[in-house]
């Protein structure tokens, strides 16, 4: 036990473990690009299950005239959440919508979120307290250790929200990078005489290699268009799941085109151009922000190197001249 404590408190060992974790994460990231097809197959299988669920709900509604089937979540996390009434204690009115925007559907992800939001402060606090009070890695005053422990608990409370926000942002970026191209493909399919459901299904298959998230959303849209009683709800659900003004504008335009009988191809053409402009403006915004972001790295990393390269030979010449003068 003492050898293990010495091992985990040694700074060199901790540095080696950190480097190993970073190398492992890099390898996993590189290999994930080679397994995109497998991930796409899994996501499409989940969409097919969603389509089957919608079909069962539709049949149940026609049979009994009221509520359909509901997903259930049975497990120790669900029991803990229900026993402690965490849904009321940690109630967040927007969490269900944010979970959908992150691509997490059903009651299990919601239960998992509440479970970790309740337990992560204690986990973070116990880990930091163990390192500071038991292992005594750093020689801090007791008040500083208590403050660090409380700060770890606060960080643990907000960690699930930070993770969820990062996942939503990455998913939205993945969708919006491929969305204008998807609209162009959809326009071609519609002008070729395909129905909107067939066009959406075809585009979802074609956009899989570019954006798995967009392919999943389009497949869900096709399923909801087939089985929801009101097609307008399917388009509104697409806008809610992405929470992007470009997608919401497309959903509104497609709803109006079906409601008032206006040509769908014209609406898709206009929306594709607007989304390309949005993508271009986002790229220009990032480009304009680069000079300000590069200021600190240039001061810390580029300028010292330039000074060494430019002034180094002159300094060496001065040193040689001083030696010759002596």
């Amino acid at each position: 036990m003492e050898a293990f404590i010495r091992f985990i408190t040694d700074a060199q060992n901790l540095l080696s473990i950190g480097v190993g974790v970073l190398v492992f994460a890099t390898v996993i990231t590189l290999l994930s690009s080679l397994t995109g097809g497998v991930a796409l197959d899994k996501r499409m299988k989940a969409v097919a299950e969603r389509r089957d669920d919608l079909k069962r709900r539709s049949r149940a509604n026609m049979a009994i005239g009221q509520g359909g089937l509901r997903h259930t979540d049975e497990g120790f996390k669900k029991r803990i959440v229900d026993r402690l009434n965490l849904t009321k204690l940690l109630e967040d009115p927007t969490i269900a919508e944010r979970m959908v925007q992150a691509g997490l559907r059903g009651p299990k992800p919601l239960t998992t979120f509440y479970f970790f939001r309740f337990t992560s402060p204690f986990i973070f606090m116990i880990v930091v307290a163990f390192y500071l009070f038991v292992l005594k890695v750093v020689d801090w005053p007791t008040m500083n250790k208590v403050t660090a422990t409380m700060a770890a608990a606060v960080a643990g409370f907000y960690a699930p929200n930070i993770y969820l926000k990062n996942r939503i942002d990455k998913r939205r970026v993945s969708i919006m990078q491929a969305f204008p191209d998807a609209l162009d493909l959809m326009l071609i399919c519609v002008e070729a005489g395909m129905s909107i459901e067939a066009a959406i299904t075809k585009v979802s298959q074609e956009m899989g290699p570019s954006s798995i998230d967009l392919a999943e959303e389009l497949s869900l849209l096709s399923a909801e268009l087939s089985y929801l009683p009101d097609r307008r709800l399917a388009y509104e659900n697409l806008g809610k799941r992405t929470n992007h003004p470009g997608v919401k504008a497309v959903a509104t335009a497609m709803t109006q085109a079906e409601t008032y009988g206006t040509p769908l191809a014209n609406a898709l053409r206009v929306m594709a151009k607007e989304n390309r402009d949005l993508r271009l403006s986002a790229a220009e915004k990032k480009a304009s922000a680069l000079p300000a972001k590069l200021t600190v790295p240039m001061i810390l990393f580029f300028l010292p190197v330039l000074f060494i390269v430019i002034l180094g030979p002159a300094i060496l010449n001065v040193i040689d001249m001083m030696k010759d003068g002596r």
Side-chain angles (χ1 to χ4, degrees):
M1 186 63 183
E2 294 181 357
F4 176 73
I5 293 176
R6 286 196 301 268
F7 176 80
I8 63 176
T9 55
D10 189 2
Q12 186 175 0
N13 293 335
L14 293 177
L15 181 61
S16 301
I17 293 173
V19 173
V21 171
L22 292 176
V23 172
F24 178 75
T26 303
V27 173
I28 293 298
T29 303
L30 294 176
L31 293 178
S32 62
S33 61
L34 303 177
T35 59
V38 178
L40 178 60
D41 294 339
K42 291 182 179 179
R43 301 285 280 273
M44 292 300 102
K45 182 179 179 181
V47 171
E49 294 176 355
R50 169 66 174 171
R51 185 183 295 110
D52 295 338
D53 179 59
L54 289 173
K55 185 186 297 184
R56 289 195 299 268
R57 292 186 185 187
S58 177
R59 291 176 179 175
N61 289 335
M62 289 187 295
I64 62 178
Q66 56 185 3
L69 301 177
R70 295 181 59 86
H71 293 284
T72 58
D73 179 21
E74 298 295 338
F76 79 97
K77 289 185 288 188
K78 176 64 174 177
R79 291 194 294 269
I80 292 176
V81 170
D82 291 340
R83 185 168 300 177
L84 299 178
N85 200 15
L86 297 181
T87 55
K88 294 290 183 64
L89 180 64
L90 304 174
E91 185 177 5
D92 188 348
T94 63
I95 188 60
E97 186 175 347
R98 292 173 61 200
M99 297 293 285
V100 174
Q101 293 171 9
L104 304 173
R105 301 177 183 86
K108 287 186 178 180
L110 188 61
T111 301
T112 303
F113 176 82
Y114 279 121
F115 174 80
F116 280 105
R117 193 173 185 185
F118 175 74
T119 58
S120 57
F122 298 102
I123 295 174
F124 279 50
M125 183 172 61
I126 291 172
V127 171
V128 173
F130 178 75
Y131 264 83
L132 294 180
F133 290 97
V134 179
L135 301 181
K136 298 180 180 179
V137 178
V138 292
D139 188 13
W140 286 354
T142 304
M143 192 61 194
N144 291 350
K145 293 181 180 180
V146 173
T147 303
T149 304
M150 293 298 103
V154 174
F157 180 79
Y158 288 104
N161 279 328
I162 295 174
Y163 168 78
L164 187 61
K165 183 180 182 301
N166 290 336
R167 178 160 180 158
I168 292 173
D169 293 339
K170 291 180 180 179
R171 191 169 186 271
R172 186 183 297 120
V173 169
S174 174
I175 290 174
M176 294 314 301
Q177 285 179 346
F179 191 62
D181 300 332
L183 290 179
D184 290 333
L185 291 176
M186 200 179 303
L187 173 62
I188 294 172
C189 294
V190 170
E191 289 183 339
M194 297 177 65
S195 64
I196 185 61
E197 292 88 351
I200 293 174
T201 302
K202 180 64 176 178
V203 172
S204 67
Q205 297 172 357
E206 296 294 332
M207 296 306 298
S210 300
S211 175
I212 298 178
D213 298 314
L214 180 58
E216 183 183 20
E217 289 298 332
L218 292 177
S219 299
L220 284 175
L221 175 61
S222 176
E224 291 182 347
L225 285 174
S226 302
Y227 296 111
L228 286 182
D230 190 356
R231 296 169 65 88
R232 178 178 56 85
L233 295 176
Y235 294 120
E236 290 181 354
N237 290 338
L238 176 64
K240 291 179 180 179
R241 290 195 300 267
T242 56
N243 193 27
H244 191 277
V247 180
K248 290 181 178 180
V250 171
T252 303
M254 296 178 73
T255 302
Q256 292 177 350
E258 291 193 0
T259 302
Y260 300 107
T262 56
L264 186 59
N266 294 338
L268 289 175
R269 185 178 292 106
V270 173
M271 290 295 105
K273 182 178 183 304
E274 289 184 357
N275 278 273
R276 281 195 298 270
D277 293 340
L278 285 175
R279 185 172 61 181
L280 180 60
S281 63
E284 292 175 348
K285 183 179 179 180
K286 287 185 177 181
S288 62
L290 279 179
K293 294 181 179 179
L294 287 176
T295 301
V296 175
M298 287 185 64
I299 294 174
L300 294 178
F301 302 106
F302 290 97
L303 292 182
V305 176
L306 288 177
F307 288 145
I308 293 173
V309 172
I310 295 173
L311 299 178
I315 294 174
L316 293 176
N317 290 332
V318 171
I319 294 175
D320 292 338
M321 292 175 61
M322 294 176 64
K323 288 182 179 179
D324 294 338
R326 291 178 182 176

